Each structure stands twice: as C-alpha cells, then as structure tokens.
Amino acid sequence: MMRRPKVSVLVPTFNAVPFLEQALDSLAAQTLEDIEFICINDGSTDTSPEVLDRYAAQDPRFKVIHKSNSGYGASMNVGLRHATGEYIGILEPDDYASPLMFEGLYAASLDGRVDVVKGNFNAVTTAPTVKINKVALFPADKAGKVLRPASEPWIFRARPAIWAGMYKASFLQENGIQFLETPGASYQDAGFNFKVWAAASEAVLVDDAYLYYRTDNAASSVKDPGKVWAVADEYSSIWEFINTLEHRETIIPIFQGARFEAFRWNLERLAPEIRGEFFEYTEKEYNAAQARAELRREFFNGNNWRALQELVNDSSRLKLAGCLLKSHDTALPPTTAPGAGEPVKGLGVPLVSLIIPVFNAARFLKDCLDSALGQTHGNIEVICVNDGSTDLSEAILGHFAALDCRVKVINQPNAGAGTARNVGIRAAQGQYLLFLDADDVFDPTMVEKAVRTAEGAGADVCVFQADSFNDGQPGVYRPIAHGIRRHLLPDAPVFGARHVQKDIFSLFQGWAWDKLFRADFVRRNRLEFQDLRTTNDLRFVMTAISVADRIVILDESLIHQRREVVSSLSRTRERSWNNYLLALEGLRLELESRELYGVFKLDFLSYAVELSMWNLRTLDPAARTALLVALRDEWCARLGLEGVEPARLHDPGLAQALREMIGEAPASTGEGPDVGEPKGLTGDAEAGPMLSVIVPVYNMEDYLRECLESVLQFSGVPLEVVCVNDGSTDSSAEILEEYRRSDSRLVVVHQANSGLSGARNRGLEVASGEYALFLDSDDVLRPVDLPALLAYASENDLDIMGYDARSFLEGETVSDSWQILGKYYQRSRSYGRIMPGANLLAEQRSHHDYRVSCCLYLARRSLIESLGLRFQKGIIHEDNAFTFALMVAAGRAAHARVELYGRRVRAGSIMTSGAHADSALGYLGSVPAMLQTLLSWGGDDPFVAKHLAGVVYQVLHNSQDQFSRQAAVSPKSIGERSGEPVLSLFARVVQNMGHVHSRKH
C-alpha cells in the first residue's frame, strides 16, 4: 500500500514554456521523498502540455490534469480536489524552488501539527544581469515560533506570497478555503491568503528563502491592469468568509485596514475614465464600515489613516484633486505598502531615525522618500532637514509629511550638510540612526536587516555594502567594491577598535550613509559632523570607528548611490579642495582629546598620505597645484607629516611619491580656488576607484591565486579587480569567491562561456574605475611602479599610459617560442613625451616597438565607452582592432619603459600554439574594423598615415601568411567562416589601402 504523500505541490500551468522546464526540474530535485506534483494544464495553446506529459512519463511523482481554460482560481481548485498529500504546496510555472524547500518546510510543521508553514522568498531578475535578492515577509524575531495569526495583526498586511509556504490539507477542507473562480489570474492569492490567516489556529514561520520568484516575466498576471473589480470581488469573498468565524470581531477591523490599502492601490492603477466608479464604491463601503464602528487606527498606517479620514468625512477634496486617493506609494501590489513588514502604531517611539539633509534635491526626493518609507520595518521616523533649499524641495517635503506621520520636516537657513545632520541628531527619537543622502535610494529591507544584524551582535556600528547607479539609469547597479576593505578587517565577526592591528582609518570609506549607529553610542561619545562643504562626515565616522567597542559587518548591498549628478558636491570638489585637510585636522584633534592619538598615530599619518594622494590624483590642475603648495607650506606640519620618514608608514612607496610631488610644487600661488560657495547636499560622495583591473577567467585554477595576489599587493592604489568567470569547469569559480569574501576590492561576475572577448566585454560593463587595465588570469602584475604610472596618467590627463612586460618561462616545452617571446614585450626605448595616440603608435612602429596587446597599457575608461569600443567575439587576435582603435582615438598618450606586466609563456597558450586556421581567421576578421578606424582618422601627417596604414596591412599579411601554412584548409572554407569570400575581402582591403595612401601622401 502506497504511503500518503507528505506534500502535494500544485502547478497551475497556462502557456508557460519559456520557464516551465526549470520549474519542473526544481520539483524533480526535491529532497523530500514522500511528495507528489499535481500539474494542471489550463488549456495551454503552446507546448506546455507536451512538456508536462513528458515529465509525468519519466517520473511517477508527476500527475497531469488537462482541462479547458477556466482561469487560475478554477485550476487551483481542481488541483486541491486531486491532491492526496498531508500539506498543499504551490509552485507557479515561471518560478522555481530550492531542492530543500519542501523538506525544510515540512520539518518546521511540528510533525504535521500546525496549519501553515511559511518561509521568505528570493526575488529574481534576469535583465540586464541576473540578480537574486532575499525578500523578508516578516520580522526576523517571528521566525521559528508557533504563532496564532489572529493575534498577529501585522501578518495580514504582509505580502501574500502564497507560493512561499504550505498549508495543511485537512485545515483547508474543514474551513472550506478555496480560490475564487474568477476568469484569469485575478489576485485570488490575496483572498486565499487572508482566509488562511483568519482561520488558522497555529502557524510557523521560517527565515529560509526557498522559493525563487521571477519578477521580470512580462506575461505575469500581476502586471495586467485590465480587471477593474477583481480586487473588490476578492474582498467581498473574504468578507463573507470571516463573518462565519467565531472570532470575527477580532478579524473585521484588520480586514478593513488591509482592504483599504488594496483599494487605494487599485485606484492608483485605474484609468481616469473608470476610476470614479470604483471611488464611489470605496466611499460607500467605508462610510458603512465607519457606521458599524469597524475602523480602528492601529490597523492603518499613517498615510492610509489620513486618506481614510478625508474619504469618510469630506471626500470632495479628494475628488477635486483629480487623483482621488492618489499618494506617493504607487505601483505596489495589494497588501504590500510602506511598512508592510511591521505595522506603524501611531506616533509611538520609533526604533530607527533616518536623517536626510536636503538642499535643492527636488528632482530626487520622490525616489528617495518612497524608498525610505517603503521599508519592510515600518517602525521608523524620517527626519528631513531642509537646508535652505531654493527649489521645490520644501513643498515636496511638506507633501510627504502631510501623507505620512513618520515624516518630520525641519527648515533652516543654508548651513551645510554637516550642520543639518547635527540638527537631525538632536531631533531624533530612535534607538538607531541612519544618515542618508537625498539623491540616493534604499533597498526595502535596509532598516530591517541592519537593525537585525546590529541587535544580534550588540553592535555600536553596523557597516553594510552599497552599490551605485548613474543618474538617468535607475536599476542598473554596480557594486562599490572599495566601501569595505575586507583584507584589513580582524578575523572576527564582531570586533572593536582595539582588535585592529593597523590601518584602522582605511577599513571603511569615511561615508556615514552606509553605516547604522546606535543613538546612545553617538550621544555618549559626543560625535558631531563638521561644518564643511565637503568631507563633513570624515571626522564623525573615523572617530566613531576609533572608539567603538563592537563593530559588525553586514555583507549585503542595501543602498543604491546615485552618481554622475551634475550638481553633486563630489563633482565640484575644486571649490572646497582644502576641506579634507580640515577634516583630517578635526579627526586628529578628536583623537588627541580622547587620548587615542598615540595609539593610532601611524594609522592616522598613513591615512593622511592616502587621502592626500587621492585628492592630488583627482582634482583639476589648478586645485591640485594649490593643494601641493598648501601641503608644502603649512599642512604637512599641521597634520604631523613633516619630517616623518616614508619607511615608517604603512605604504612607504605612496608616502615617498607624496614627498616627491610636494618637493616639485611651484612657488605659492595664494589661497587657491574659491571656497565660498553655498553649502548643501545633493550627493556628498567620494569618487569610485581610479583603476579597474579586468581579469577574464576560464579554467585557470593553477594560476589564478598567483594572479590575484599580484594585483591585491597594491594596497595603496584605489582599485577594483573585476573578475569575469567565463563558465569555468574547474575550481576557478570557488577560488574567486574565496578572494571576494576576503577582499572587498574584488568584484566577481559569473557567466556562461562566451570566450575571451566576451569576458573582457563583460568586465568593461561592470568596471567603474577612471582607468582600465586588462590582466590575463595566467599572468601577473609585477611589484613595480603601478602607483606612479597611475598617478602620472591622472596628473597629465592621459587617455593611454603604456608600459612594458617581462616574460617568464614555464617549463621546457616552449623553448622555441621563448626565443621569440622572451624579450618581445620590452621596447627598445622610452616614449615619455605626451602626444596623440596615433603619433605614439607611429613612433613605436618606426622603431619596431608597436605591440597590440591590450595588457600593455592603462586606458581611460570613458574613452572606451565614448567610442562604444568592445572586443570582437568569436575570433582570436582580438586585441588588434581594439588597441588600434584606442590608439587612433587617444588625444593624449605616453609610454614608460617600466616592466609592470608579467607575461607567462607556457605550452598550449594562444601565443605559443603556432600557425592554424583560427589564427588566420582572427587576423582576417580584424581587418574590416581596423579599416573603418583608419578611414576615420582625421590627421594629415604623412609619417603617421604611413604607419597607421602599415599596421592594417601587416594584419592582413599575417592572415595570408597563416593561411598559406594551412594545407588542409581551403580558401573557400576560411571565406565561409569569415562570413565573406576571402578574395573579395582582400580586394576591398587593397582598394581601401590604396585610397588611404593616396589621400595621406
């Protein structure tokens, strides 16, 4: 006799072919043994029925029911009738489940005792890149406990997510809980969810996120705005159901709060011509509810309660406004609204105070405040300090404050972001403080996760990760790799300043916005922000780190920093070039007053050098000169750097470089650029890394560690290492993740195999540095001169900074190649004069020194992007066209005879593999793009023209040479593989070459 399944999983299916197999595979992989899968084909017109039948033929746990189309609710009810399991689970065919999902949920059911077991879920987006974020449906402290849902009102306002849990079959049957059989998929999950919570005696919540919910399926029913009355129908069904319950008096006020939230959401999405009818219905329903005394303040958030009072007392103003119940919390699905994870209880004491200085930020405020008020942890206050804005910021803040009682607005004359933050501290009531910028946006779980981590560790400070996006490109996020320098952290989950061996001020950036502070810690230590235009948070943050007993790291990205804002302070630092010096002096005075300067003296001096070098590299020439003079004449002495030997500091090379730069400073030029601009904040953030090292990786486990260590040795260089795992089948991916966990400068991207060009191109998409350096994963960077080269490139505004390589031999098997490659990458002379890239190419080629490898230069990333330049996929020798285009376009280029790059010469590599058809095709495939580059060059120097044309001709000649050595390969086959007959292409090349020579000569 067959055992009864522990779980029956229902899979309602309608035209789901693009995702169906992934969903079914995830079920087939379930580790729970006693399980069945009931697949209901709802009249699909694609090949979904065939896919379902195939799985059923291969696995007896799958059962398929075919029926005519009648909608989601009807399909689910058919599944419920056929299910034989103890519990009912749900998997929608565009989602997928962890193999542990139903074993984990059943393990939490207390041997089948509880009515409901529910977990969290993962939201999955696939464009432009795959991104998976855990979504918390409930406060973490509720997990693992037996709950009585009727006594937990917040649970009714949480997102339904019925597919994230399972439900006892006998409980559903005894209570008559089914799905409303309206046509299509019309929010029946909201009705099912509410009925479950209303009737359940006991439930268990688990913190695990087993379900992967796809958010970018355009065919998903939640994105269909066509069904006007579906939400009303669901809540009418809920109303009838709860009136049959003995404890209905407890449930009805909760129902009214949840229904109002859903009705407001529905009104937001309706077209104006049909909105009025639904508004009249809402008004009628809630006037009746008020007459029955069913409306209670604690079941409405502040925004909803205000709108409700206007509706039942004087709806005319809402009607005349033209937007009816319109608020700022738009486009949220039913039962999901700001604070959905925890109810807002009037004007009680908040747990967290979000402090936001605002200066002329009208363009960004809606995004900022929507994300602040949309936190899953609703027990917050949002203190907005309007710092004398002259745009519409004050009016926008007033609008939000009128809609949500958690928003508090303080208006003051312009005094700067530092002063505004101090005002916010004095007004804050929360146990924790978050200092946020008005142009950024925040992950909805930011408060919840930061508080949970801080409380779990008893921390004074919780530091979390952040990513960035360019203004005008919301949703395209890039990790900020240098926010936390993991390689400097103590080896402990919670640590204090006393545990940090060195470089305490380099552990984190001096930003306040990626850190949660305990309020009593801030006040007890008298921490304040400085009255500075820029860098006003450095003293606050670094003093906090130096006095904290308990610091914890949360390794999740919770803030999206907006960059490339024209009015941003970080883009106009030249106006306040000396503010970082004042900030450093302020930090030194704080350390001295707390008798900590002796403890952290070397750390402070090393940090002062690091920060000074960063400013010198990134300021414009006039401000840079003024800073050098100020350091020489005054500030080295004021900061304590005067007379300090570089060898004593943590990065002697960087300190020596600073000393040399200061020694070359010109005579005093006065006070430097004007610093008397109005103060304010629209984005007070440091710039990103100066250098992105892009490392394509494919099956390089034998060499990868050596490669990464060679880059990470440069601790004084503001860099990120972008590693693209190109579908490796060895342990390369694991090695990359190991290094990523230990060093925040590492950015790791995993992708299906697309070849060297595809991996480099992906690296360029992710990179955020001012310059890019390409490093092959079997090669190394040698411990010489990278800081100096990077500084020279930045100081002289170079587009290309070239250097040499030293080859090193692996084994004895490539000795023939070694004769060629041993000194191939060492130029015969230095080309130090700054000149256009085309001229540098010509000079080098005239001395037989031109090398096409993209690994032999630093390239300005903005130039690469402005050209739309990428490596050609599907060929080898892809460097030819890329380097040629970059050199021809570069306005300022130079070369230093420095062997920075270490080139490994080994058997089996592309450069030692000799002649072959792919080589011929690679050269040939590069020619068309190189011709376009050549013909677009606008110069008129015959010497340069001769050598540019010569480069193209040499590539074509290489193709011919490789082809002539392949007896087994016909011209026709190579022509077919290149997409164009080879002789036709050759003729076109010759014709164009002749045209170029005649035009240039």
Side-chain angles (χ1 to χ4, degrees):
M1 186 176 189
M2 292 184 63
R3 290 186 297 182
R4 180 187 184 187
K6 292 178 179 177
V7 180
S8 296
V9 183
L10 309 187
V11 188
T13 305
F14 178 74
N15 289 355
V17 163
F19 315 107
L20 185 55
E21 290 195 2
Q22 185 180 19
L24 300 181
D25 285 342
S26 74
L27 292 180
Q30 289 298 306
T31 57
L32 181 67
E33 293 183 358
D34 300 327
I35 192 168
E36 67 175 359
F37 312 118
I38 310 295
C39 304
I40 309 98
N41 168 38
D42 189 32
S44 297
T45 58
D46 64 359
T47 59
S48 295
E50 289 82 354
V51 174
L52 295 175
D53 288 339
R54 173 160 47 86
Y55 276 77
Q58 296 171 351
D59 190 329
R61 296 174 297 171
F62 286 89
K63 300 176 182 179
V64 181
I65 302 167
H66 297 286
K67 69 179 190 64
S68 59
N69 181 261
S70 56
Y72 180 87
S75 296
M76 292 297 289
N77 290 338
V78 169
L80 287 173
R81 289 194 293 273
H82 284 79
T84 62
E86 185 181 349
Y87 281 88
I88 303 296
I90 300 166
L91 181 69
E92 299 195 352
D94 53 350
D95 300 334
Y96 57 99
S98 161
L100 300 174
M101 178 171 180
F102 292 104
E103 182 177 15
L105 293 177
Y106 191 84
S109 71
L110 305 181
D111 292 326
R113 169 184 142 190
V114 300
D115 298 323
V116 184
V117 183
K118 197 161 191 177
N120 294 307
F121 69 93
N122 298 295
V124 180
T125 56
T126 57
T129 58
V130 175
K131 189 172 184 179
I132 299 176
N133 291 315
K134 181 180 177 182
V135 177
L137 294 171
F138 43 81
D141 61 357
K142 299 294 183 181
K145 302 174 183 177
V146 178
L147 304 177
R148 298 186 180 278
S151 302
E152 304 280 349
W154 61 268
I155 207 168
F156 292 86
R157 296 185 64 243
R159 185 171 182 169
I162 60 174
W163 21 258
M166 64 180 195
Y167 313 89
K168 195 171 184 179
S170 59
F171 155 73
L172 297 178
Q173 294 162 4
E174 290 165 5
N175 287 278
I177 298 177
Q178 289 191 324
F179 290 83
L180 197 62
E181 296 193 5
T182 48
S186 306
Y187 312 108
Q188 292 97 332
D189 55 348
F192 180 88
N193 180 71
F194 198 101
K195 293 171 186 177
V196 163
W197 291 134
S201 298
E202 293 182 328
V204 171
L205 306 176
V206 297
D207 187 51
D208 298 282
Y210 294 118
L211 192 285
Y212 292 83
Y213 173 74
R214 198 182 305 274
T215 63
D216 51 3
N217 175 11
S220 172
S221 63
V222 77
K223 297 186 179 182
D224 176 11
K227 301 178 177 69
V228 177
W229 294 98
V231 174
D233 291 341
E234 283 297 317
Y235 279 92
S236 293
S237 173
I238 296 171
W239 174 256
E240 293 174 4
F241 178 82
I242 61 179
N243 273 284
T244 67
L245 302 176
E246 292 182 0
H247 56 292
R248 59 183 172 273
E249 298 302 323
T250 301
I251 301 297
I252 285 174
I254 301 172
F255 163 83
Q256 295 294 4
R259 181 174 69 157
F260 189 75
E261 190 171 277
F263 279 16
R264 290 188 67 214
W265 171 83
N266 198 44
L267 281 164
E268 291 281 355
R269 55 191 283 279
L270 297 179
E273 60 270 19
I274 57 177
R275 188 183 291 156
E277 185 179 359
F278 194 87
F279 177 84
E280 300 294 344
Y281 174 79
T282 303
E283 182 182 22
K284 177 183 175 182
E285 288 291 303
Y286 277 90
N287 277 321
Q290 184 182 45
R292 295 191 300 266
E294 294 171 354
L295 307 179
R296 289 166 51 182
R297 170 67 183 86
E298 61 264 36
F299 300 123
F300 294 76
N301 70 22
N303 191 6
N304 284 344
W305 184 251
R306 291 175 186 271
L308 175 66
Q309 296 307 304
E310 292 178 347
L311 176 70
V312 298
N313 295 320
D314 181 15
S315 65
S316 60
R317 188 171 73 83
L318 288 170
K319 294 176 184 176
L320 292 173
C323 59
L324 301 173
L325 299 182
K326 186 172 178 64
S327 70
H328 62 274
D329 52 318
T330 60
L332 295 169
T335 73
T336 305
E342 181 174 328
V344 181
K345 300 178 180 177
L347 296 172
V349 177
L351 181 63
V352 183
S353 298
L354 281 58
I355 298 172
I356 307 177
V358 179
F359 178 76
N360 289 353
R363 185 161 68 90
F364 314 114
L365 274 179
K366 183 181 185 299
D367 289 344
C368 173
L369 293 179
D370 277 348
S371 64
L373 296 168
Q375 294 295 305
T376 55
H377 199 303
N379 191 13
I380 62 174
E381 64 175 356
V382 182
I383 300 174
C384 301
V385 183
N386 176 36
D387 190 39
S389 296
T390 58
D391 63 357
L392 293 176
S393 294
E394 184 176 353
I396 295 171
L397 293 174
H399 169 75
F400 274 84
L403 290 172
D404 197 313
C405 60
R406 296 175 295 173
V407 178
K408 302 175 182 178
V409 179
I410 301 172
N411 292 305
Q412 67 175 29
N414 179 254
T419 299
R421 285 170 171 156
N422 292 335
V423 169
I425 293 173
R426 291 192 288 272
Q429 301 181 58
Q431 298 176 39
Y432 292 93
L433 305 177
L434 273 168
F435 301 97
L436 306 175
D437 286 355
D439 55 351
D440 294 340
V441 292
F442 321 111
D443 185 274
T445 64
M446 174 185 67
V447 171
E448 179 184 346
K449 289 179 177 177
V451 169
R452 181 197 309 167
T453 302
E455 290 191 332
D460 302 315
V461 184
C462 173
V463 186
F464 45 86
Q465 299 278 17
D467 53 37
S468 67
F469 66 99
N470 288 341
D471 189 26
Q473 296 180 315
V476 182
Y477 301 128
R478 293 179 173 178
I480 297 176
H482 55 296
I484 301 173
R485 293 175 175 172
R486 286 200 161 274
H487 65 290
L488 296 177
L489 296 178
D491 188 17
V494 182
F495 61 91
R498 63 187 181 280
H499 301 118
V500 180
Q501 295 182 359
K502 72 171 188 175
D503 278 331
I504 189 171
F505 304 116
S506 298
L507 297 181
F508 316 114
Q509 291 292 339
W511 305 320
W513 46 260
D514 59 353
K515 301 169 182 72
L516 176 80
F517 299 88
R518 190 181 293 275
D520 62 359
F521 164 78
V522 170
R523 295 189 175 103
R524 184 175 67 252
N525 286 284
R526 306 180 308 283
L527 300 178
E528 287 191 337
F529 292 87
Q530 282 180 284
D531 179 16
L532 297 174
R533 180 178 182 271
T534 53
T535 328
N536 54 68
D537 44 2
L538 183 149
R539 184 186 69 179
F540 179 100
V541 171
M542 295 308 174
T543 303
I545 298 303
S546 68
V547 299
D549 292 323
R550 298 183 67 80
I551 302 170
V552 67
I553 307 299
L554 172 54
D555 196 15
E556 289 191 49
S557 182
L558 300 179
I559 283 188
H560 310 306
Q561 182 201 30
R562 190 187 304 264
R563 288 185 173 175
E564 303 300 326
V565 179
V566 174
S567 58
S568 166
L569 295 184
S570 63
R571 290 172 64 93
T572 58
R573 288 182 300 111
E574 284 75 15
R575 301 177 187 173
S576 48
W577 58 270
N578 65 345
N579 277 197
Y580 92 91
L581 297 169
L582 295 167
L584 283 172
E585 185 176 53
L587 173 60
R588 177 177 177 171
L589 294 173
E590 283 288 338
L591 295 173
E592 289 175 347
S593 70
R594 299 166 192 270
E595 299 182 352
L596 291 173
Y597 185 69
V599 177
F600 298 122
K601 180 178 179 179
L602 287 181
D603 289 358
F604 173 82
L605 295 175
S606 298
Y607 181 55
V609 168
E610 178 185 339
L611 205 56
S612 295
M613 285 298 291
W614 180 84
N615 276 275
L616 287 168
R617 289 165 175 166
T618 56
L619 289 169
D620 69 18
R624 183 188 309 125
T625 299
L627 176 55
L628 281 170
V629 172
L631 285 167
R632 181 194 63 195
D633 294 350
E634 177 184 7
W635 277 98
C636 279
R638 286 176 65 169
L639 294 176
L641 288 170
E642 195 166 72
V644 177
E645 287 300 318
R648 294 185 56 203
L649 302 182
H650 298 324
D651 191 333
L654 199 66
Q656 181 61 35
L658 178 62
R659 170 182 283 190
E660 291 173 1
M661 290 176 69
I662 292 172
E664 296 171 0
S668 178
T669 58
E671 294 300 317
D674 178 31
V675 296
E677 296 290 326
K679 300 170 183 175
L681 177 73
T682 58
D684 187 6
E686 302 289 353
M690 284 192 68
L691 178 65
S692 295
V693 180
I694 297 173
V695 186
V697 180
Y698 179 72
N699 289 355
M700 284 292 160
E701 60 185 6
D702 293 338
Y703 310 110
L704 188 53
R705 293 182 187 277
E706 183 182 2
C707 173
L708 295 177
E709 293 289 350
S710 77
V711 183
L712 298 175
Q713 67 176 314
F714 295 105
S715 59
V717 178
L719 58 79
E720 64 177 1
V721 187
V722 180
C723 300
V724 181
N725 171 36
D726 192 41
S728 297
T729 57
D730 63 358
S731 63
S732 295
E734 289 77 8
I735 295 171
L736 291 175
E737 289 299 327
E738 173 193 332
Y739 274 81
R740 182 190 64 80
R741 288 190 294 270
S742 65
D743 196 318
S744 64
R745 294 176 294 174
L746 224 69
V747 180
V748 178
V749 179
H750 300 283
Q751 66 176 26
N753 182 260
S754 64
L756 179 60
S757 291
R760 284 174 175 165
N761 292 342
R762 186 72 182 97
L764 282 171
E765 293 170 6
V766 173
S768 61
E770 182 182 353
Y771 287 91
L773 183 158
F774 296 99
L775 172 64
D776 288 348
S777 50
D778 56 347
D779 294 337
V780 296
L781 293 185
R782 301 180 64 249
V784 295
D785 293 321
L786 176 60
L789 288 171
L790 190 59
Y792 185 81
S794 181
E795 290 164 11
N796 291 282
D797 199 28
L798 298 184
D799 294 317
I800 291 178
M801 178 71 242
Y803 45 81
D804 289 350
R806 176 178 295 182
S807 298
F808 58 99
L809 181 64
E810 179 181 279
E812 300 293 333
T813 60
V814 291
S815 55
D816 291 341
S817 298
W818 179 252
Q819 300 300 317
I820 301 172
L821 298 173
K823 295 186 177 182
Y824 177 75
Y825 299 106
Q826 299 166 10
R827 269 68 161 210
S828 63
R829 67 203 66 204
S830 178
Y831 301 86
R833 181 171 59 87
I834 297 173
M835 64 187 88
N839 294 59
L840 177 60
L841 181 155
E843 289 278 353
Q844 290 182 328
R845 188 173 182 274
S846 70
H847 292 97
H848 308 287
D849 279 343
Y850 176 61
R851 302 290 180 264
V852 301
S853 172
C854 67
C855 300
L856 296 179
Y857 50 78
L858 306 175
R860 188 189 298 276
R861 196 172 57 83
S862 60
L863 176 62
I864 297 174
E865 296 304 315
S866 68
L867 295 171
L869 192 57
R870 291 295 185 266
F871 292 91
Q872 185 174 340
K873 297 177 69 173
I875 65 170
I876 62 174
H877 305 309
E878 67 288 328
D879 299 32
N880 282 275
F882 187 94
T883 297
F884 187 66
L886 204 56
M887 292 290 283
V888 170
R892 293 174 62 80
H895 170 268
R897 200 177 179 190
V898 172
E899 296 172 1
L900 172 65
Y901 199 89
R903 172 71 82 182
R904 187 186 305 270
V905 180
R906 61 184 177 85
S909 69
I910 292 173
M911 59 185 178
T912 62
S913 55
H916 49 76
D918 284 340
S919 180
L921 184 63
Y923 284 124
L924 185 62
S926 301
V927 170
M930 296 179 71
L931 278 173
Q932 292 300 318
T933 297
L934 178 58
L935 294 172
S936 68
W937 178 60
D940 57 5
D941 186 329
F943 172 78
V944 176
K946 169 188 172 182
H947 285 288
L948 294 183
V951 169
V952 181
Y953 186 84
Q954 183 64 52
V955 172
L956 180 62
H957 174 77
N958 290 346
S959 175
Q960 291 178 295
D961 179 63
Q962 293 285 318
F963 168 68
S964 67
R965 296 157 64 184
Q966 303 302 309
V969 181
S970 69
K972 180 179 178 182
S973 67
I974 293 185
E976 288 171 350
R977 292 173 66 186
S978 70
E980 182 175 2
V982 67
L983 295 178
S984 173
L985 178 60
F986 178 78
R988 185 160 55 87
V989 170
V990 172
Q991 180 181 4
N992 281 312
M993 291 284 287
H995 170 71
V996 171
H997 278 291
S998 63
R999 180 166 65 91
K1000 298 303 180 185
H1001 293 282

